[in-house]
Amino acid sequence: MNIAAAIAALTEMGIETDTNPASVKAKSRDFFWYSPVLKDRLDHVVADFVATPKNEAEVISILKTCYAHDVPVTTRGTGTGNYGQAMPLAGGCILHLNQMNAVKDIQPGRLICEPGVLLKDLDAACNETGQEIRMYSSTWATATIGGFIAGGSGGIGSVRWGSLRDPGNIIRLRVVTMEAEPRTLEIAGDDLHRVSHAYGTNGIITEIEIPLAPAYEWKGIFLAFSDFDEALQYSYDLASCDGLLIKLATVFEAPIAKDYFQRVAPHVEENDALVALMVAPHAMPGWETFTKGYPGARTIYVQGETDWPRDPGLVFEYGWNHTTLRALKVDPSITYLQIAYGTDDPIALVKAVKERLSPEVLQHIEVTRMNGKVAMGGLTLVKFTTEERLDEIIAIHEEMGAMNFNPHRYTLEEGGRQSVDERQLDFKREADPKGLLNPGKMIAWDDPDWSYDRMYAWPGLQPKTAAE
């Protein structure tokens, strides 16, 4: 790759570039350090320069220039991903889309925007029309919508709307290819699977159209239970209650709340499980009636009604991967897993895993919806000791029937699908013939003959030194 020639050409075009070592390093990093395995593998990774386009035309110019000079391009929003999605494994150019942050159009039930707009700003714009985005990550205040779609899978709202990949949760994406003459493509319908949650490996998203829902002043609630099993059953039953509108149902095994949630800790006992909820205001009377049916439920906080000396803030910022972040601030040895307990009998499977692995592994359960059924997923806290033991814990989950979306791997396949997604691979062949988009993240491209029977052993994920 000819970095100097690419920078010179982009500078001549008037496109903003950054070669300052400190800022380039900062923009070359995401939250990969949640994983001690990825921290070991990726800590040295850095791009050669950053290019910041202001519009789609500049994106096309950057991709065309980098293609001509064989420069890899890794797209970045604000870098809040957790498993190296935005880490430039081959160096080259960071394509920083934070200045492409326009909300272009809001209509009843839908919006059109650029990828760099923050989720909180997008929500604020929608709120002015009485609407809100259906789902968002717990990094709502700092993450971009483009990063969420390219690197996320679900979040707050998934208890009602399912995952991002479910039909209807993305309407349309506009994507730019990386070819000698980049093309702009309108992607919709089943073709969305080619580019959503693909880490920018096969096209650059420059415009997004997503559906909206009515906006509510959601009530954040904390419930304490002395019995984890009752907390689990309560949350499942609540999500199954079609007449009650909720946006979040999260369960924390003891002692997560007591040890890691500093503003909640004074209000729970050492052995209390905690449930975090977001309930629509009009659903509160029904929720109160529903909750009376669970004798172990103790309501300890209701937003706007409970006066704690230290207000806990946004309840959803205790769930999803903010749970891991809060635990890491107290105990740096904590890491996490992403576990799918499914829809068939998730409560029984969660209990079985808890029985076998607690307290080394603590259950943090997000209640979601999948194909019309209530599902449970674990963003499980793990007390990390060694990489070998972490792999054993992952294997135990899989032996018990709990699928692992491995957050200690940076490839698309090892991060969950555990097989090739032929649609994404085929589209990469079409849209990125040189393999310059976010290289190293798709095993099927780099090692087509790799056997997925040996999942998590791909030699591409090996420790490397800065010299290498």
Side-chain angles (χ1 to χ4, degrees):
M1 54 182 168
N2 193 333
I3 297 296
I7 293 173
L10 294 173
T11 302
E12 186 175 347
M13 296 176 198
I15 293 173
E16 180 182 334
T17 59
D18 182 2
T19 57
N20 179 277
S23 60
V24 171
K25 181 178 180 180
K27 293 169 185 174
S28 297
R29 300 170 74 83
D30 61 16
F31 282 29
F32 71 97
W33 45 267
Y34 274 33
S35 164
V37 176
L38 294 184
K39 183 170 175 55
D40 177 58
R41 305 299 199 268
L42 302 180
D43 207 31
H44 67 281
V45 168
V46 64
D48 294 283
F49 69 99
V50 177
T52 305
K54 298 180 179 64
N55 50 51
E56 184 182 86
E58 290 194 352
V59 170
I60 292 170
S61 295
I62 292 166
L63 295 181
K64 183 175 182 177
T65 300
C66 288
Y67 184 92
H69 297 289
D70 296 314
V71 175
V73 174
T74 302
T75 314
R76 174 189 176 86
T78 53
T80 60
N82 301 122
Y83 29 91
Q85 302 104 308
M87 299 290 288
L89 301 184
C93 172
I94 289 287
L95 183 66
H96 200 353
L97 297 179
N98 64 322
Q99 290 190 26
M100 291 182 60
N101 57 10
V103 179
K104 294 183 171 182
D105 188 32
I106 300 176
Q107 297 294 332
R110 63 173 63 197
L111 72 81
I112 299 172
C113 67
E114 291 181 326
V117 61
L118 296 180
L119 292 168
K120 71 168 185 176
D121 293 340
L122 197 57
D123 238 358
C126 294
N127 290 169
E128 293 179 4
T129 70
Q131 301 181 92
E132 63 184 27
I133 54 180
R134 285 183 176 180
M135 68 183 76
Y136 48 81
S137 64
S138 63
T139 49
W140 170 84
T142 54
T144 64
I145 182 64
F148 183 46
I149 286 174
S153 56
I156 295 87
S158 287
V159 70
R160 170 64 181 85
W161 298 104
S163 73
L164 273 172
R165 290 175 66 87
D166 289 345
N169 282 333
I170 302 171
I171 298 172
R172 177 184 59 86
L173 299 174
R174 187 172 170 89
V175 174
V176 178
T177 66
M178 189 166 188
E179 303 172 86
E181 295 294 336
R183 293 171 292 150
T184 56
L185 305 175
E186 299 287 337
I187 307 292
D190 192 54
D191 287 342
L192 288 166
H193 292 297
R194 301 195 297 179
V195 291
S196 66
H197 199 69
Y199 306 174
T201 56
N202 54 15
I204 306 302
I205 298 169
T206 57
E207 187 175 271
I208 294 162
E209 185 173 1
I210 55 172
L212 301 176
Y216 296 100
E217 293 288 340
W218 298 93
K219 287 280 189 179
I221 298 169
F222 286 123
L223 300 176
F225 291 79
S226 59
D227 180 65
F228 175 80
D229 290 355
E230 185 181 13
L232 202 64
Q233 189 68 56
Y234 169 88
S235 301
Y236 182 92
D237 293 346
L238 178 61
S240 303
C241 190
D242 293 336
L244 294 177
L245 182 59
I246 63 174
K247 194 162 186 170
L248 179 75
T250 307
V251 188
F252 308 97
E253 178 184 351
I256 291 174
K258 194 69 173 177
D259 286 356
Y260 304 131
F261 297 169
Q262 296 178 4
R263 298 192 178 195
V264 179
H267 309 282
V268 295
E269 302 300 324
E270 188 70 30
N271 294 320
D272 278 345
L274 187 73
V275 172
L277 304 173
M278 289 171 66
V279 179
H282 67 267
M284 287 296 291
W287 170 79
E288 291 168 358
T289 300
F290 174 89
T291 302
K292 287 177 183 177
Y294 297 80
R298 307 188 328 265
T299 303
I300 61 173
Y301 176 82
V302 178
Q303 182 182 343
E305 300 177 18
T306 306
D307 184 19
W308 284 358
R310 299 180 70 201
D311 188 85
L314 297 170
V315 167
F316 70 75
E317 288 188 339
Y318 289 79
W320 292 84
N321 238 345
H322 259 68
T323 306
T324 311
L325 180 60
R326 289 178 185 275
L328 277 166
K329 289 180 177 179
V330 176
D331 182 355
S333 72
I334 293 292
T335 189
Y336 76 111
L337 298 177
Q338 296 180 151
I339 303 296
Y341 291 109
T343 59
D344 290 345
D345 193 358
I347 291 177
L349 188 51
V350 171
K351 288 180 181 180
V353 172
K354 177 179 179 293
E355 177 70 21
R356 185 163 177 183
L357 291 172
S358 185
E360 181 183 15
V361 174
L362 294 176
Q363 294 300 315
H364 157 209
I365 302 299
E366 295 293 344
V367 185
T368 64
R369 191 166 295 275
M370 183 186 302
N371 298 324
K373 298 179 180 179
V374 175
M376 287 184 164
L379 283 160
T380 313
L381 297 185
V382 180
K383 184 78 171 180
F384 180 78
T385 51
T386 66
E387 187 174 334
E388 290 72 24
R389 177 55 183 163
L390 184 63
D391 288 342
E392 287 176 2
I393 291 169
I394 290 170
I396 288 169
H397 279 84
E398 295 188 343
E399 288 164 9
M400 296 180 72
M403 183 178 179
N404 170 55
F405 293 77
N406 197 333
H408 306 285
R409 297 293 187 270
Y410 54 67
T411 63
L412 285 163
E413 295 94 338
E414 292 178 304
R417 297 192 184 93
Q418 303 188 5
S419 63
V420 179
D421 188 321
E422 293 291 349
R423 293 168 298 186
Q424 292 187 338
L425 177 60
D426 289 345
F427 187 55
K428 186 173 179 67
R429 292 183 179 123
E430 172 191 338
D432 180 26
K434 285 187 177 181
L436 293 172
L437 286 176
N438 206 357
K441 306 294 174 60
M442 188 183 288
I443 296 175
W445 179 272
D446 293 320
D447 197 348
D449 297 324
W450 175 251
S451 170
Y452 292 92
D453 293 337
R454 297 175 287 159
M455 186 52 64
Y456 313 139
W458 185 53
L461 187 80
Q462 297 299 325
K464 293 181 180 180
T465 67
E468 292 177 301

